[in-house]
Amino acid sequence: MAQGNNYGQSSNGVADESPNMLVYRKMEDVIARMQDEKNGIPIRTVKSFLSKIPSVFSGSDIVQWLTKNLSIEDPAVYLCKRTMQNKARLELADYEAESLARLQRAFARKWEFIFMQAEAQAKVDKKRDKIERKILDSQERAFWDVHRPVPGCVNTTEVDIKKSSRMRNPHKTRKSVYGLQNDIRSHSPTHTPVPETKPPTEDELRQEIKYWQIQLDRHRLKMSKVAESLLVYTEQYVEYDPFLLAPDPSNPWLSDDTTFWEIEASKEPSQQRVKRWGFGMDEALKDPVGREQFLKFLESEFSSENLRFWLAVEDLKKRPMREVPARVQEIWQEFLAPGAPSAINLDSKSYDKTTQNVKEPGRYTFGDAQEHIYKLMKSDSYPRFIRSSAYQELLQAKKKFGNTMDRRTSFEKFTRNVGRNIPIFPCHKNCTPTLRASTNLL
């Protein structure tokens, strides 16, 4: 009890009237009202399986009690009433309009009731005398400026005014909320002074213009388009995902059978591998066989130097640093130097930049040229390769081969699966040829 009596008092026994203590007392009053047996938050016993939990209340109970017993919608009534008064000095500021929209979404179910309250208050105000109405408007405006301050300003219910007024080096502001300029003494105690900003320099303005130009040129997509692209990508690659579909013949990460890896690494690509080349040029370049087939196609069109240059630059990135300068000169002499035997077609900007980079050779000397050639192949050569008869015939041949392999009988599938699990022992020299052949098959 002694502690309770001293609560809210300073060391000299005088009651502390700081804003923080006022807020704490208000919070204590609200909590005491919540704990009231008749009008407080309903507390009940919840039955669980084989047990009971006494004295339980939920978050929704607290929200309902606050909405019912506290005037939470008062700011909404005030702002709504302001919209009904067609006066320039009473127009809503930007932050007030945003607060009104936010409150309208929060109190959507009871907004009609709030609007009726605001309309009734506005009618009562119209009946008052003009001078009295101005005084009440000013008092109401001042009240909400304190309790709902402008964004970026100090809330007096959270910060002590005395501490704010004792600031040693207050910053000057160009304009305070009361319209007085560059006067430290004119600051409202409820607002924090804003530091004086310097005008931007010419270089800063140019950088800002350049930044916004880049932002305007950025390619943006709607969320619906992104979701649609993601669905198409998922449907396209679903048969290659071992988490969604079990790979054939088996998952080498779950079994000791490495046949799947051997098929993927073989020079005879499966139908799935050939089909995957058509998903994008990156898929064809990642597969050694696909890369070889693409190179053969480009040779038939007399443009294989593009892919050979791209591959040479990729190889350059993996070379040790001691080999890089010599390799850069080799690539330059073969593809970019005047009179090169395998000259590639570059735009002037990429060629000039590459020429400068060659003077200080590095792994990424040909980065711009490689990007230009990649885009050229992707937009021109790769679509023709996918439409070419060579790729289509290879795809159809692999499909027919896959259909033939799928026509195995159930006994063949059974013997294949059993053969993976049966240990192979060397056949005796006196065993029959049939038995020896069956043992080798297993």
Side-chain angles (χ1 to χ4, degrees):
M1 292 296 293
Q3 292 178 354
N5 293 333
N6 294 330
Y7 182 76
Q9 295 183 355
S10 60
S11 58
N12 57 4
V14 181
D16 189 354
E17 296 296 336
S18 64
N20 291 343
M21 294 309 303
L22 295 175
V23 174
Y24 296 154
R25 291 194 189 101
K26 289 181 181 179
M27 293 171 62
E28 282 185 344
D29 294 339
V30 172
I31 293 173
R33 292 172 59 187
M34 286 181 176
Q35 294 175 345
D36 187 71
E37 295 182 359
K38 294 183 179 180
N39 300 321
I41 297 175
I43 299 176
R44 52 189 176 274
T45 301
V46 177
K47 294 182 180 180
S48 182
F49 182 69
L50 299 178
S51 64
K52 292 183 179 180
I53 305 175
S55 304
V56 174
F57 62 89
S58 62
S60 59
D61 296 334
I62 298 177
V63 173
Q64 290 178 4
W65 187 89
L66 292 173
T67 306
K68 181 180 179 181
N69 293 273
L70 301 181
S71 301
I72 300 177
E73 67 275 3
D74 283 353
V77 175
Y78 164 69
L79 294 174
C80 190
K81 185 176 67 173
R82 287 268 303 279
T83 60
M84 300 176 184
Q85 299 172 346
N86 297 325
K87 295 182 179 179
R89 67 185 185 87
L90 295 175
E91 289 182 358
L92 295 180
D94 292 340
Y95 76 95
E96 291 177 325
E98 293 176 1
S99 299
L100 179 62
R102 186 170 60 253
L103 290 169
Q104 188 171 4
R105 290 193 298 269
F107 297 106
R109 295 184 178 180
K110 54 187 305 186
W111 188 253
E112 293 183 3
F113 175 71
I114 293 173
F115 185 83
M116 290 172 60
Q117 281 185 302
E119 193 174 18
Q121 292 184 15
K123 289 180 179 179
V124 173
D125 291 341
K126 287 181 181 179
K127 296 178 181 179
R128 291 193 175 97
D129 185 61
K130 185 177 181 181
I131 298 177
E132 183 182 2
R133 190 165 59 247
K134 285 185 177 181
I135 294 173
L136 291 175
D137 288 342
S138 300
Q139 290 176 345
E140 195 174 24
R141 184 72 176 269
F143 175 84
W144 289 114
D145 280 346
V146 172
H147 289 80
R148 296 290 188 275
V150 181
C153 298
V154 176
N155 191 338
T156 54
T157 60
E158 298 176 358
V159 178
D160 194 347
I161 303 175
K162 297 178 182 178
K163 292 182 180 179
S164 299
S165 62
R166 287 197 298 266
M167 294 176 61
R168 293 184 178 179
N169 298 316
H171 297 285
K172 294 183 179 180
T173 57
R174 287 179 293 176
K175 186 174 182 179
S176 72
V177 294
Y178 299 105
L180 301 177
Q181 297 182 356
N182 295 331
D183 187 2
I184 299 174
R185 295 171 297 177
S186 65
H187 291 315
S188 169
T190 63
H191 295 80
T192 302
V194 181
E196 187 176 359
T197 57
K198 296 181 180 180
T201 61
E202 184 177 352
D203 293 338
E204 291 176 349
L205 288 174
R206 287 179 179 177
Q207 291 179 0
E208 187 175 358
I209 292 172
K210 185 178 180 180
Y211 170 78
W212 288 116
Q213 286 178 344
I214 294 173
Q215 295 299 317
L216 290 173
D217 294 337
R218 284 181 60 187
H219 184 63
R220 291 177 174 85
L221 291 175
K222 293 183 178 180
M223 195 60 194
S224 57
K225 295 291 184 182
V226 175
E228 185 179 352
S229 301
L230 184 60
L231 288 174
V232 172
Y233 178 86
T234 305
E235 293 173 357
Q236 189 178 49
Y237 283 89
V238 64
E239 60 180 311
Y240 300 93
D241 194 334
F243 287 100
L244 301 178
L245 292 178
D248 187 34
S250 65
N251 192 338
W253 295 103
L254 302 178
S255 64
D256 294 332
D257 185 11
T258 60
T259 308
F260 178 79
W261 285 338
E262 293 171 358
I263 293 175
E264 288 295 312
S266 65
K267 293 186 178 181
E268 289 294 331
S270 61
Q271 189 264 339
Q272 279 189 329
R273 284 175 63 185
V274 177
K275 180 182 176 182
R276 193 164 180 169
W277 300 348
F279 293 171
M281 192 173 74
D282 290 334
E283 297 291 347
L285 295 178
K286 284 192 298 185
D287 193 321
V289 182
R291 191 163 56 242
E292 183 181 351
Q293 293 294 327
F294 188 32
L295 182 60
K296 289 181 180 179
F297 172 78
L298 293 178
E299 288 174 351
S300 65
E301 291 197 338
F302 305 100
S303 59
S304 62
E305 65 278 358
N306 291 331
L307 181 56
R308 288 191 286 111
F309 170 76
W310 188 87
L311 294 174
V313 176
E314 286 295 304
D315 177 69
L316 174 66
K317 297 175 183 178
K318 304 172 185 177
R319 291 291 184 98
M321 281 303 300
R322 62 178 181 275
E323 302 178 7
V324 168
R327 184 57 182 155
V328 166
Q329 291 300 322
E330 292 176 2
I331 295 174
W332 172 263
Q333 294 298 330
E334 183 178 358
F335 297 101
L336 292 168
S342 302
I344 58 175
N345 187 14
L346 285 182
D347 61 320
S348 58
K349 183 178 179 180
S350 300
Y351 184 82
D352 294 340
K353 194 166 185 179
T354 305
T355 305
Q356 295 295 326
N357 293 339
V358 170
K359 297 177 181 178
E360 297 179 0
R363 289 195 178 100
Y364 299 92
T365 298
F366 301 102
D368 294 283
Q370 186 188 28
E371 183 180 0
H372 178 79
I373 292 299
Y374 177 86
K375 292 179 179 179
L376 184 64
M377 292 192 297
K378 186 176 181 179
S379 61
D380 185 38
S381 303
Y382 173 74
R384 290 203 305 272
F385 168 67
I386 296 301
R387 294 193 301 267
S388 66
S389 58
Y391 174 75
Q392 295 296 332
E393 289 174 1
L394 182 61
L395 183 62
Q396 294 299 327
K398 294 300 176 182
K399 282 184 178 180
K400 292 179 181 179
F401 178 75
N403 294 334
T404 304
M405 293 297 293
D406 288 338
R407 293 196 190 104
R408 294 175 301 179
T409 63
S410 59
F411 178 73
E412 290 174 335
K413 293 180 181 179
F414 171 76
T415 54
R416 180 181 178 182
N417 292 330
V418 171
R420 294 177 189 151
N421 301 322
I422 297 178
I424 305 300
F425 300 101
C427 186
H428 193 269
K429 61 180 180 180
N430 295 326
C431 64
T432 62
T434 305
L435 182 59
R436 185 181 293 110
S438 62
T439 304
N440 292 333
L441 177 61
L442 292 174

